[in-house]
Amino acid sequence: MAAKIKAGDKLPMFSYDTPYRAQNRFRDLLAAQAPLVLVFMANFGNPVTRTFASRYAETYDKLYSGGFAMVVRSRADKLAASLAQDALPFPLMCDADGVLYDLLEIPTRGSAWTAYSLEAWQILRQAKKQGYRAAKGAEQQMPLTLILDKDGKVLFCHYGTSLTDVPQDCEAMQNLLEELELIPDSFEKAELAGLKD
């Protein structure tokens, strides 16, 4: 592929590591949770990534018509040492080498001025007060949001233009699925059955 992905393309199947289990099959995740919202962000040590992971964890029950997973540029073994096993209710896929990021041509930016939104500045300013120090001159990993069907076909694609250009929380993901009419028939039938009772 090695090009920006777009709606209608198909993501190749692959294996991924989480902090607690190696060699998970992406195909199995899609089969269990499609339509799957897949959000790519920077490494898990980045305050913006941690802020959004926390938001997604707190609002996870608002996403009831599909699944969600986050991809981060971090090593699974490093995260396992610092992240409690049940800390997140969704899969945290680790791609420290950036294989998927390169495959999908998810850009990086060399300048904070072109990568930061007002929200990113606020998150990072607060993190600095708590001792966070970013590496000088480090490139900023931009985000990507995909929605995939059970076969890995891209139903929605958005390359972020700032570090925070991703769904704000899981309720926003649910709203997006509804607006794009990507709610599986089984959920619609269950809702109708609930209305009849």
Side-chain angles (χ1 to χ4, degrees), residues 84-141:
Q85 188 160 359
D86 58 352
L88 300 172
F90 52 82
L92 188 64
M93 304 165 68
C94 298
D95 182 14
D97 295 329
V99 175
L100 289 172
Y101 292 79
D102 291 344
L103 179 72
L104 302 174
E105 289 194 2
I106 305 174
T108 57
R109 299 250 175 94
S111 166
W113 294 105
T114 61
Y116 289 4
S117 61
L118 177 59
E119 183 180 19
W121 277 113
Q122 291 169 338
I123 292 168
L124 291 163
R125 186 177 64 195
Q126 187 62 34
K128 284 178 183 175
K129 288 179 184 176
Q130 297 171 359
Y132 173 76
R133 294 290 174 260
K136 288 203 183 266
E139 290 195 328
Q140 304 295 318
Q141 177 64 63

Side-chain angles (χ1 to χ4, degrees), residues 52-112:
F52 278 83
S54 178
R55 281 185 198 167
Y56 296 151
E58 290 168 6
T59 60
Y60 188 66
D61 62 333
K62 304 288 186 188
L63 178 63
Y64 48 84
S65 298
F68 168 64
M70 178 183 269
V71 186
V72 293
R73 291 195 73 158
S74 300
R75 284 180 44 186
D77 59 334
K78 295 279 187 185
L79 289 184
S82 61
L83 190 65
Q85 188 160 359
D86 58 352
L88 300 172
F90 52 82
L92 188 64
M93 304 165 68
C94 298
D95 182 14
D97 295 329
V99 175
L100 289 172
Y101 292 79
D102 291 344
L103 179 72
L104 302 174
E105 289 194 2
I106 305 174
T108 57
R109 299 250 175 94
S111 166

